Structures are given as structure tokens and as C-alpha cells.
Amino acid sequence: MSNVTITNHPLIEHKLSILRDVNTNPTVFRHLVNELGALLCYEATRDLPIRPVEVQTPLTAMTAYEIEEEIALVPILRAGLGMVDGIWDLVPNAHVFHIGFYRNEETLQPIEYYNKLPKDHPINICLLLDPMLATGGSAIATTNILKRWGAKKIKFVGLIGAPEGITALQNAHPDVDIHLAAIDERLNERGYIVPGLGDAGDRQFATLF
Ligand code: PRP
Ligand code: URA
């Protein structure tokens, strides 16, 4: 069964509280999604393979280490977009491939509308980015696509998960590690995470009317 890692840290707790607040405006919300993504990335990349590299410091030659493999960041549009920049700053050699899903509001099923994966260049290690793991449908569908593409190690990095979504993703893909800032109580009848933070896409892009 996949590991679920909740990164507990005072900075994460503090930022998450502001993110959840209904009065937080889109500019601050976007900023926090970005920062929280970067903080979670630190733990999610802890086991990246590294290899020795010879470095000449101003004083002497030494053996240091560099990340061995190509890394793909795969944000699920739209809300996952907000997590890219902070993580990309930490993993500057990463490639970014966008996948678009929206949830059908009645069935809650994910509907694919965009896929920018290069067909002939699969990357082994993928960080799948989406702030919300609600029913798990979007994460499962994206993981299916990434595995068909050829990805060997996939980690889901999100901000808030519902128990239902975590269980669904674990059952569908037991090899996918899950990194979150918090596990909330439940889903409501409309598939929203409670207490959650509302609609992560609408709150980032100011499309809540
Ligand atoms: C939200 C969120 C996830 C998905 C999670 O996307 O960003 O992608 O719902 O729900 P699930 O676990 O039940 O699949 P949404 O469909 O609202 O699209 P958006 O990002 O464009 O707002
Ligand atoms: N998508 C969101 O943006 N928020 C939720 O609570 C559930 C799905």
C-alpha cells in the first residue's frame, strides 16, 4: 500500500490556515499555494536518486552529488498550475507537462480536455501536482495516463486530501506515494472536501462569481 506522508510543520499549519480562510483574496491564495507546494516538495523529493559528481571548489576538488534522473512535474489543470513555480525553483532541471481535467459537477467523474505529454520521451519520476484530492478521480485518471506513457515512479503532491480520495488512490495505485499538508474530515454531497478550502481553481484564478 502506498505511503501517505503528512508534512507537519508550523509554517505549513500557519499558511494552510490562511489558505482555508474564506476572506483570503486570490492574490494571497495563489501565493500560498505556491509556497505550500515548495514546502511539501522538500519531503516528496527526499528519496530522489543522486550520483557522485566531481566539483572544483575555490579551495580544492571534491566529490559532491547531483540528482541522477530526469524529473517531470505534472500539474492537473487548472488548480495544479499554482503549485508549479515553487517546486520548479527547487528542482530547476525538471520538465513540466500539463494535463487538463475538470470534474463533471453531477457525476463527479473527471473529464480529460488537455494532454501535453511528449509521446516518445517518457520520464521515470513524476510529481503529480494538484492541491485537492477529493474523490481521487482526477488523480487516478492522471496516474493511469502517466503509467501508460511509461512513468515508473509517481508521487502525488497535494495540499488537502479527503479520506475517501486517499483510499481510492491507494486502492487504484498502491505504488503511488501521497504527500499532503492535511487530511480533512470528509466529502460533502457535492464532492467538496470539508472543512477544506472551497474550490481551489476558482479561488486561485478569481473565477468565483
Ligand atoms: C478540482 C481539483 C482537482 C479535482 C479534485 O478540479 O483541482 O483536480 O477537483 O477532485 P477529485 O479528487 O474528486 O477528482 P476542478 O474539476 O474543480 O477543476 P479546476 O482545477 O479547473 O477548478
Ligand atoms: N476540488 C476543489 O477544488 N475543492 C474541493 O473541495 C474538491 C474538489
Side-chain angles (χ1 to χ4, degrees):
M1 191 54 74
S2 52
N3 292 320
V4 180
T5 304
I6 307 300
T7 303
N8 290 311
H9 190 285
L11 289 177
I12 291 181
E13 298 288 353
H14 184 86
K15 290 174 193 295
L16 200 53
S17 300
I18 304 170
L19 192 75
R20 290 180 187 277
D21 189 331
V22 67
N23 294 312
T24 296
N25 70 44
T27 304
V28 174
F29 191 93
R30 273 199 310 279
H31 193 79
L32 289 166
V33 169
N34 192 43
E35 285 185 331
L36 283 162
L39 290 168
L40 292 176
C41 168
Y42 189 72
E43 203 54 50
T45 54
R46 181 175 286 284
D47 61 354
L48 286 184
I50 51 176
R51 66 183 165 210
V53 57
E54 293 309 308
V55 171
Q56 178 72 46
T57 80
L59 302 182
T60 184
M62 69 168 288
T63 303
Y65 294 90
E66 64 181 10
I67 292 172
E68 189 169 15
E69 290 209 43
E70 287 186 297
I71 313 290
L73 308 183
V74 185
I76 304 180
L77 305 178
R78 290 174 302 167
L81 270 183
M83 296 175 68
V84 171
D85 283 352
I87 296 179
W88 213 0
D89 282 346
L90 294 179
V91 194
N93 294 333
H95 308 271
V96 181
F97 303 117
H98 301 86
I99 294 197
F101 275 102
Y102 69 87
R103 289 198 313 177
N104 177 305
E105 288 186 5
E106 259 115 59
T107 65
L108 300 183
Q109 291 306 304
I111 313 288
E112 186 181 352
Y113 62 91
Y114 192 76
N115 180 334
K116 199 63 183 169
L117 293 174
K119 285 189 179 44
D120 50 359
H121 191 84
I123 289 184
N124 285 339
I125 303 177
C126 294
L127 300 184
L128 179 53
L129 312 180
D130 193 329
M132 309 305 275
L133 183 61
T135 66
S138 306
I140 291 168
T142 308
T143 303
N144 291 339
I145 291 171
L146 292 176
K147 285 187 175 175
R148 278 201 299 273
W149 179 50
K152 299 282 183 288
K153 182 69 197 167
I154 300 166
K155 291 170 183 253
F156 178 89
V157 186
L159 302 186
I160 301 179
E164 296 91 329
I166 293 169
T167 302
L169 181 54
Q170 286 183 311
N171 287 337
H173 295 292
D175 55 329
V176 171
D177 292 339
I178 301 172
H179 291 265
L180 295 166
I183 302 178
D184 275 8
E185 282 169 33
R186 62 185 170 89
L187 293 180
N188 71 11
E189 61 291 346
R190 292 175 51 228
Y192 276 84
I193 300 176
V194 181
L197 49 72
D199 190 304
D202 282 340
R203 292 195 66 189
Q204 282 183 73
F205 297 108
T207 51
L208 200 58
F209 301 105

